[in-house]
Amino acid sequence: MTSERRSRARLTRLIRGALAVLVGTAVLSPARSSAQEDPSAERERVRERQAQVDLQIDALRADRAEIDRALRQLRRNVATQQAEADEARRAERAAREDVREAERAVARAEQRIAELEEATDEMVVEAFMNPPSAEMFDAFNAETISDAAIQQALLELQADADADLMDQLNAAHEDLEIEEANKQEAAREAERRRRTAEAELAQVRAAAQQQQDFAAEVEARLEQALSEAESLRRQDAELARQIQRQQEELARQLREAQQAATAAGASAPSPAPPASVQPAPGGLATARCPTGGSITVAASIGDNVQGLLNEAGQQGVPLCGWGYRDPAEQVQLRREHCGTSEYAIYQMPSSQCSPPTARPGTSMHERGLAIDFNCAGGSIVAGGSCDTFLKSRADDYGLYNLPSEIWHYSTTGN
């Protein structure tokens, strides 16, 4: 039995060799798809696209309109980058599906070849097991039974059915090569799409991180404004309420921006170090206003503030204001608006409190190093006598204005 199987295998090889000569084994080269865009050029274009917008803005000194514009610009930029990344991911998924379809086509071609080869094997075995009559052997002058079987098989190939079978086998091999080439092309395209998607996601993260970083800067501005609103309540309650309302809207925008940035892949902002309440340098001192009343400030700047007020009185400028504010007041507000834990009081971002509330120790008023001036007991008016005097003389006494708040002066301008 083993000898018979070896004979059949040998006969199969012999006939297949003969078939290769008779039918031919030339395989058509697969048609290439239309020229594809150079992946390296596409990657360069992706790298060249700028994910970050040019923000020429100081969040601490900008006015509210500038902050709003910047936040909107950043949100639009992140949304644009996200849309491009989503499209790149869709293209990548489509390319991966093309690869899977190409693999299925290759598998179908291989299955077809296996079926045709099985059919040709059966044809070979049939020719071996049922050789033609002796007369046919005489006609071919065959010397052995094997040679006679080969010659008979070659004659049988002239029949239309057997020739068609071999044509199908040859065509199946051609199809397999084409499908293999298609699969390789699909795999290359999928890899290109994957790299593009990764580059787009990196752009999204860069844009989101810029938004997150700017939000952190605005958070500091928010805290400053909230501190200022609390300091103003005693001398201009309506202005304090107006500032508070504006900052509540800004806090809402900040929360939305930070949530969107985190969702887009930006790293979460680092927790702010706990705020610390520092005493007024040198203790407290009282400076007398020219029209009555006084301003409590840190003793380290007491003489300068008194000198400024004296000069204002000499020029007939009715200048006064409010300086030092006890940090205990801010601690109590944080307990009411943020929570009672140490984190809630001293570390939680202002925007997360309800309503937004500055951390204690972050206002220069709490150290006696800032003053909110008023004019004859009312608000400072842009271009008025008090505003003009302060802008021309305050810096000579070591006090500097915060441009967004014409009434606010401090030793640092913050």
Side-chain angles (χ1 to χ4, degrees):
M1 193 66 177
T2 301
S3 176
E4 181 181 348
R5 283 198 296 271
R6 282 199 298 269
S7 296
R8 288 184 180 182
R10 180 174 177 274
L11 183 56
T12 298
R13 288 194 298 273
L14 287 171
I15 290 182
R16 283 191 176 158
L19 294 177
V21 175
L22 292 173
V23 180
T25 57
V27 178
L28 296 174
S29 299
R32 292 187 60 84
S33 58
S34 59
Q36 297 294 318
E37 194 174 28
D38 182 10
S40 62
E42 173 63 17
R43 287 197 297 274
E44 286 304 315
R45 282 194 291 275
V46 170
R47 293 190 186 99
E48 290 170 2
R49 285 200 294 271
Q50 295 297 316
Q52 296 186 340
V53 297
D54 185 17
L55 287 180
Q56 299 294 330
I57 179 172
D58 181 346
L60 286 176
R61 294 182 174 272
D63 61 30
R64 174 64 188 281
E66 290 174 316
I67 294 291
D68 286 347
R69 283 194 297 271
L71 287 172
R72 286 197 298 270
Q73 185 180 11
L74 288 167
R75 283 198 296 271
R76 285 195 300 269
N77 185 45
V78 172
T80 298
Q81 300 296 334
Q82 187 68 62
E84 291 182 4
D86 290 344
E87 179 58 32
R89 284 196 294 266
R90 283 193 291 271
E92 180 189 7
R93 288 194 294 270
R96 291 297 176 192
E97 180 55 36
D98 289 344
V99 171
R100 289 189 288 271
E101 178 55 36
E103 289 173 344
R104 290 191 287 268
V106 168
R108 289 193 295 269
E110 290 175 339
Q111 178 62 29
R112 177 62 176 159
I113 288 173
E115 293 170 354
L116 290 171
E117 287 183 342
E118 182 179 356
T120 58
D121 287 348
E122 292 175 357
M123 181 182 68
V124 170
V125 172
E126 178 65 22
F128 176 76
M129 298 300 295
N130 300 295
S133 63
E135 289 79 3
M136 290 298 295
F137 293 156
D138 291 342
F140 285 97
N141 295 317
E143 296 180 359
T144 67
I145 292 177
S146 296
D147 291 342
I150 292 172
Q151 293 171 4
Q152 179 64 21
L154 293 174
L155 290 174
E156 293 287 342
L157 282 175
Q158 303 310 306
D160 290 342
D162 292 342
D164 181 63
L165 179 62
M166 297 314 301
D167 286 342
Q168 291 183 50
L169 180 59
N170 188 50
H173 278 287
E174 293 175 1
D175 290 343
L176 177 60
E177 289 204 14
I178 292 173
E179 297 298 352
E180 285 283 4
N182 289 341
K183 184 180 79 170
Q184 292 173 9
E185 178 63 25
R188 286 192 293 271
E189 177 64 10
E191 175 60 18
R192 186 183 74 83
R193 294 290 188 179
R194 182 191 66 79
R195 290 194 296 268
T196 298
E198 287 184 351
E200 294 289 359
L201 286 173
Q203 299 287 72
V204 172
R205 287 191 291 270
Q209 192 61 57
Q210 184 190 29
Q211 180 175 256
Q212 189 78 288
D213 293 343
F214 183 72
E217 295 178 14
V218 177
E219 183 76 50
R221 179 190 187 283
L222 172 69
E223 189 161 63
Q224 181 185 82
L226 292 170
S227 295
E228 185 62 17
E230 292 302 328
S231 298
L232 276 172
R233 288 193 188 281
R234 292 185 182 180
Q235 67 176 37
D236 195 332
E238 179 54 37
L239 179 58
R241 284 193 293 270
Q242 180 182 341
I243 294 174
Q244 181 71 37
R245 287 194 298 269
Q246 291 175 345
Q247 301 318 307
E248 287 176 3
E249 172 60 21
L250 181 58
R252 182 190 63 78
Q253 294 182 33
L254 271 183
R255 289 192 296 270
E256 292 177 354
Q258 290 170 338
Q259 290 168 0
T262 301
S267 58
S270 301
S276 60
V277 177
Q278 301 179 33
L284 297 175
T286 300
R288 300 295 175 181
C289 300
T291 57
S294 63
I295 303 175
T296 301
V297 295
S300 61
I301 66 169
D303 290 343
N304 281 3
V305 174
Q306 188 63 69
L308 177 68
L309 293 174
N310 290 343
E311 185 175 341
Q314 292 167 6
Q315 296 187 24
V317 177
L319 195 66
C320 201
W322 192 270
Y324 173 76
R325 179 168 178 265
D326 190 342
E329 298 176 20
Q330 200 66 21
V331 170
Q332 182 57 34
L333 285 175
R334 290 282 291 195
R335 289 182 183 277
E336 296 171 4
H337 302 163
C338 311
T340 57
S341 68
E342 287 294 304
Y343 170 78
I345 296 172
Y346 294 101
Q347 197 168 359
M348 180 185 290
S350 303
S351 60
Q352 295 182 19
C353 299
S354 181
T357 306
R359 294 176 301 159
T362 56
S363 170
M364 297 192 72
H365 285 283
E366 294 169 305
R367 299 189 65 198
L369 298 176
I371 300 171
D372 290 336
F373 286 105
N374 60 42
C375 193
S379 299
I380 298 285
V381 178
S385 61
C386 292
D387 179 43
T388 301
F389 173 78
L390 286 169
K391 285 179 177 177
S392 64
R393 300 297 298 137
D395 57 349
D396 289 338
Y397 291 91
L399 295 174
Y400 306 95
N401 176 237
L402 179 65
S404 59
E405 299 170 351
I406 64 172
W407 61 86
H408 181 83
Y409 284 76
S410 70
T411 57
T412 62
N414 291 330

